[in-house]
Amino acid sequence: MSLTQADIDREITERRAAAVPGDHPARDYAPYRGTLLRHPSQPLVAVEDPEAAELTGPVFGVTDVTALDNDLTRQHLGAPLGERITVHGRVTDRHGRPIRGQLVEIWQANVSGRYLHQRDDHPAPLDPNFTGVGRCLTGDDGEYTFITIKPGAYPWRNHVNAWRPAHIHFSLFGMAFTQRLVTQMYFPGDPLFPYDPILQSVTDDRARQRLVAAYEHDLSVPEWSLGYRWDIVLDGPAATWTEEGR
């Protein structure tokens, strides 16, 4: 029998009632069915030489990132369709110190809620002028900026009539492997928040709110884009939550 939204809502309520405040999302969070098949089931492997992990990790330099990489509206011959937005924020460590010169990458669906991916086949149009990927380096004050199109909600088949709230995926490298972060930024006031088991897997209300950007009128550009601010903390008790806990 197919799972309905009512089934998922009931499971979310049950899991929330049993959750320990402040606990990170369970790796086998049942309302998000994909975790039951993909979550780690073996003991963690200790890294005996942390420096070796740094030496074998990905590397990048300032010459790898161009001036257009953070503007997803200028990567093609024409302008993409949709609501143009500016996303700006600051990346810091637990002490509020800026994380400088670090790579920030984003990927997202287009305004119709479809990804440029061969396995995304739901009936929504692709935009020939929007790929949905971008990157930049943080500045001296840890700041980053992206110009893009506000993504649409999309169906993801976790259950019958399952829709993801509009969101942008973020990847940050930080200063060390322990600051590596992959997470999602959401938009304020989205009516799909209560129905989304991925967002609701974060049972701490304050931590969940830290995943939601704030509309900031001073970041809006006249006749061009609306502005959102989303600050990211890479470690410590106020760290931004990841897709699989901290």
Side-chain angles (χ1 to χ4, degrees):
M1 185 176 70
S2 298
L3 286 168
T4 66
Q5 184 66 55
D7 296 325
I8 297 299
D9 291 346
R10 183 173 60 254
E11 291 183 6
I12 289 174
T13 300
E14 292 171 352
R15 294 296 291 258
R16 178 170 293 186
V20 177
D23 217 3
H24 66 69
R27 293 185 173 90
D28 58 345
Y29 187 74
Y32 177 10
R33 283 301 189 264
T35 64
L36 300 181
L37 299 175
R38 301 199 301 258
H39 78 281
S41 58
Q42 300 298 320
L44 299 177
V45 176
V47 178
E48 297 181 1
D49 185 359
E51 291 187 1
E54 303 294 343
L55 292 174
T56 57
V59 296
F60 61 91
V62 294
T63 58
D64 298 320
V65 181
T66 73
L68 290 180
D69 285 352
N70 73 325
D71 189 342
L72 283 68
T73 69
R74 298 173 59 196
Q75 297 174 348
H76 299 275
L77 294 177
L81 298 174
E83 178 184 326
R84 191 182 294 110
I85 61 173
T86 298
V87 180
H88 179 82
R90 190 164 178 257
V91 183
T92 63
D93 66 11
R94 71 177 72 190
H95 302 294
R97 296 174 299 201
I99 306 294
R100 303 179 179 91
Q102 297 304 303
L103 184 66
V104 182
E105 299 173 311
I106 65 169
W107 63 99
Q108 63 171 93
N110 65 18
V111 67
S112 71
R114 186 170 176 183
Y115 286 91
L116 185 62
H117 189 285
Q118 62 184 359
R119 295 188 63 183
D120 188 347
D121 58 359
H122 80 275
L126 290 172
D127 187 338
N129 293 311
F130 190 77
T131 304
V133 296
R135 59 185 179 176
C136 71
L137 298 177
T138 56
D140 288 341
D141 198 32
E143 295 187 341
Y144 72 87
T145 300
F146 288 100
I147 300 170
T148 184
I149 297 296
K150 186 176 180 180
Y154 71 88
W156 63 300
R157 301 170 184 167
N158 182 73
H159 52 278
V160 175
N161 206 20
W163 292 83
R164 296 274 1 255
H167 62 277
I168 297 176
H169 298 267
F170 274 72
S171 166
L172 298 97
F173 279 85
M175 299 294 291
F177 183 77
T178 53
Q179 290 185 333
R180 185 77 170 94
L181 177 75
V182 177
T183 189
Q184 298 178 18
M185 184 203 87
Y186 298 86
F187 293 87
D190 196 312
L192 292 174
F193 285 166
Y195 306 103
D196 180 46
I198 293 181
L199 182 59
Q200 294 303 319
S201 69
V202 181
T203 56
D204 185 287
D205 289 339
R206 290 175 299 178
R208 195 164 55 249
Q209 284 303 312
R210 291 200 297 270
L211 293 173
V212 182
Y215 173 72
E216 191 163 310
H217 199 64
D218 288 344
L219 291 177
S220 296
V221 180
E223 302 182 35
W224 181 255
S225 67
L226 294 180
Y228 292 89
R229 173 175 289 278
W230 194 54
D231 295 329
I232 302 169
V233 181
L234 287 188
D235 55 18
T240 302
W241 288 79
T242 74
E243 291 178 336
E244 298 179 359
R246 287 184 185 162

